[in-house]
Every structure is written in C-alpha cells, then in structure tokens.
Amino acid sequence: MKKLLAGLFLSVLVLALAACGAGKKDDASSGASTEDKTDSKENVTLTVGASNTPHAVILEKAKPILAKEGIDLKIETYTDYVLPNQDLASKDLDANYFQHIPYFDLQIKDNGYDFVNAGSIHIEPIGIYSKKYKSLEDLPKGATILLSSSVSDHGRMLSLLEAKGLIKLKDGVDKTAAEIKDIAENPKNFKFDANTAPEMLVQMYENNEGDAVLINSNYAIDNGLNPIEDAIALEESEKSPYLNIIAVRAGDETKPEIKKLVEVLTSKEIQDFMLEEWKGAVLPVK
C-alpha cells in the first residue's frame, strides 16, 4: 500500500511539474508573441523648410496624413529665399518647399549645391498689380514697372509682360533666364525698376510706388492680397516651368519618408484643398 501510494504521489508530482513547465513555456511564447505584435518602430521625424504661405499652410494640411504613415512632420518657416537652401545644405533641414524650378537650377549653378528635385507640387501664378490703373491698357507711356531684385525672377516677369503684349524679347533668348537688357521692343517706353527685394514688393504696391508692380503670388496672399481679384493681369499656368518643388540633398529622394511626403502633397485630398483654399491663386500640379 505504501509503495502504491508513493507511486501515485510520484506520478502526480511529475504531472504537476510537467504542467508547470508547460505553463512557463506558454508564457514565454506568449511574451515573445506579444513583443512581436508590439510596433517597436519609432516614427520618423521629417524637417521641412517652407515659405509661410502657401507652402507651410499646405504642409500643415498634410501633417496629420503623414502622421498616420509614421512620419512626424516638423515645419520650419522662412521669409527669404536664401536660408532654406543653405539650411538644407548644412543638414539642418531634410527638405525644403519654397522654390520653383528655374530658381532651384540657378541656386545649384551659383552655389554648387548637390540637390535634386524630389517632386513638383504646385504653381503660384505671378501677377501684375496697380493702385493707379485698372487694366494693362491703361498703363501710360513711360510708366514705371517694379520688378523683383532677384535676377531669377526677371525671365518670368518679362515673359509675362511679353505674353500680355507690353514688350517683346529678343529672338532666341532663353525666356526663363531673360534680363531687362534682352528687351527688343518696348512700344510704350516703360521704365523698369528692379531694385526691390521680392518680399518687399507688396509694400511698394501698398505705398503706391511705381505704376505697376509684379508680385509673386506667395507674397501676395501672405500679405492679404487675392491674386485673382486684385491683380490687373495674371500669369497663365499652362506649360509653365515655374513649378514649386520639394528639394532634397542628392540621394535623399529615394528615402521612404521623402517619397511619402511627395505622394501626400500630390494626392487628390491636398490638391482639392489648394483649389478650395486659394481659388486658383495656387494651382496643383496635375
């Protein structure tokens, strides 16, 4: 009887230990499984430099969409056209979004930046503004036309004046790089003043300086102007080379977070937002 009881006790003990051991194995497996299911991947922080309007506004709209993709978008705003590229080169930024392609190309040529265009996002039609005259036809002979002091803007502004029939550029000239000296015909003998920084042109317009002022739409809307309503003439956007882009250091254009940024900024949701928000003053790239 004692041997039988001892045998039974030993069998129960073995089964108990086996069950206990099995329990520990299950716990370990469960723990490993739980750890596997936990998303240990941290969000990626993406720092993008941008002009206040419309670039930073567009990025703010994209921010929650990117957050769902695991990208924390940090937006650094700028009021000039020089620092965003300098900060991108020094790696203070991961990308910037403020410049159009001709300016981007000129910056690379002049400064030796190793940048690439990661994607075209939108265009801001440039406008001609005047407090003195309601139409281009009203501009008198000898009128003073204020242009940006940025040479990279001259080709675009002069091309607009040519498209509106006010001047004619020399045959064969690269219109994106045209300068005042490239004007071949100036029937009304307009005077061109290119001594104002681009960000100050709105102030010159408000101060009633000159007879007409050519202003980039980002500066116009940033200062409360509506290009569609306030400009006496507006640039046509069809086939324009002046597309605003996402610029990055060479090699970074293949990073998943950069590709996702461009994908979101060119999505229908963001494109519809641009059209609704600015009523044609900011046009998405199709």
Side-chain angles (χ1 to χ4, degrees), residues 251-268:
D252 287 354
E253 69 275 16
T254 60
K255 287 185 175 181
E257 58 269 28
I258 295 296
K259 294 173 73 173
K260 180 59 68 173
L261 173 66
V262 174
E263 179 185 322
V264 170
L265 292 178
T266 54
S267 67
K268 186 177 186 303

Side-chain angles (χ1 to χ4, degrees), residues 4-118:
L4 180 60
L5 291 173
L8 288 172
F9 175 76
L10 183 60
S11 298
V12 171
L13 180 61
V14 170
L15 289 171
L17 289 173
C20 184
K24 287 184 178 178
K25 185 177 180 180
D26 288 344
D27 289 345
S29 298
S30 176
S33 177
T34 302
E35 185 176 347
D36 289 343
K37 291 179 181 178
T38 302
D39 184 8
S40 59
K41 183 179 178 181
E42 294 183 359
N43 283 4
V44 176
T45 298
L46 189 63
T47 304
V48 180
S51 298
N52 286 309
T53 308
H55 306 79
V57 177
I58 295 169
L59 289 173
E60 285 289 353
K61 185 68 176 179
K63 195 171 185 176
I65 303 173
L66 289 167
K68 294 177 182 178
E69 300 290 340
I71 299 171
D72 290 331
L73 181 62
K74 182 179 179 183
I75 304 165
E76 297 287 349
T77 58
Y78 293 80
T79 57
D80 79 303
Y81 280 4
V82 177
L83 286 176
N85 280 331
Q86 291 181 351
D87 287 352
L88 180 60
S90 65
K91 299 186 178 181
D92 290 326
L93 298 173
D94 298 307
N96 66 42
Y97 175 37
F98 78 99
Q99 61 194 323
H100 56 58
I101 294 173
Y103 180 79
F104 171 77
D105 291 340
L106 183 63
Q107 284 283 291
I108 290 175
K109 179 181 177 181
D110 289 348
N111 298 287
Y113 292 133
D114 191 16
F115 295 165
V116 297
N117 173 1

Side-chain angles (χ1 to χ4, degrees), residues 53 147 159 164:
T53 308
L147 308 179
S159 294
K164 299 302 181 183

Side-chain angles (χ1 to χ4, degrees), residues 64-251:
I65 303 173
L66 289 167
K68 294 177 182 178
E69 300 290 340
I71 299 171
D72 290 331
L73 181 62
K74 182 179 179 183
I75 304 165
E76 297 287 349
T77 58
Y78 293 80
T79 57
D80 79 303
Y81 280 4
V82 177
L83 286 176
N85 280 331
Q86 291 181 351
D87 287 352
L88 180 60
S90 65
K91 299 186 178 181
D92 290 326
L93 298 173
D94 298 307
N96 66 42
Y97 175 37
F98 78 99
Q99 61 194 323
H100 56 58
I101 294 173
Y103 180 79
F104 171 77
D105 291 340
L106 183 63
Q107 284 283 291
I108 290 175
K109 179 181 177 181
D110 289 348
N111 298 287
Y113 292 133
D114 191 16
F115 295 165
V116 297
N117 173 1
S120 299
I121 310 303
H122 77 270
I123 181 173
E124 301 157 28
I126 201 166
I128 303 174
Y129 298 78
S130 177
K131 283 188 173 292
K132 298 176 182 177
Y133 306 100
K134 294 183 178 180
S135 71
L136 295 179
E137 292 74 19
D138 292 338
L139 291 174
K141 289 185 177 181
T144 298
I145 312 295
L146 302 187
L147 308 179
S148 161
S149 60
S150 175
V151 177
S152 64
D153 284 336
H154 290 178
R156 184 180 187 183
M157 292 181 167
L158 293 173
S159 294
L160 172 57
L161 294 172
E162 182 181 53
K164 299 302 181 183
L166 301 180
I167 63 169
K168 190 177 186 307
L169 295 170
K170 295 176 182 176
D171 291 337
V173 69
D174 178 359
K175 294 185 180 182
T176 65
E179 299 179 33
I180 294 172
K181 65 181 181 180
D182 294 317
I183 296 174
E185 297 178 19
N186 183 9
K188 284 193 171 182
N189 196 29
F190 292 139
K191 298 173 184 176
F192 298 95
D193 182 337
N195 296 310
T196 304
E199 63 270 21
M200 294 301 297
L201 286 169
V202 173
Q203 190 61 52
M204 297 294 279
Y205 163 73
E206 296 291 357
N207 291 344
N208 209 14
E209 299 285 344
D211 296 294
V213 186
L214 277 78
I215 305 174
N216 290 324
S217 283
N218 64 312
Y219 288 121
I221 59 182
D222 201 24
N223 287 276
L225 294 177
N226 184 326
I228 302 299
E229 296 178 0
D230 297 325
I232 61 174
L234 204 59
E235 176 185 33
E236 298 290 337
S237 60
E238 292 295 326
K239 299 179 181 179
S240 173
Y242 297 98
L243 305 178
N244 283 237
I245 64 171
I246 295 294
V248 298
R249 293 181 294 276

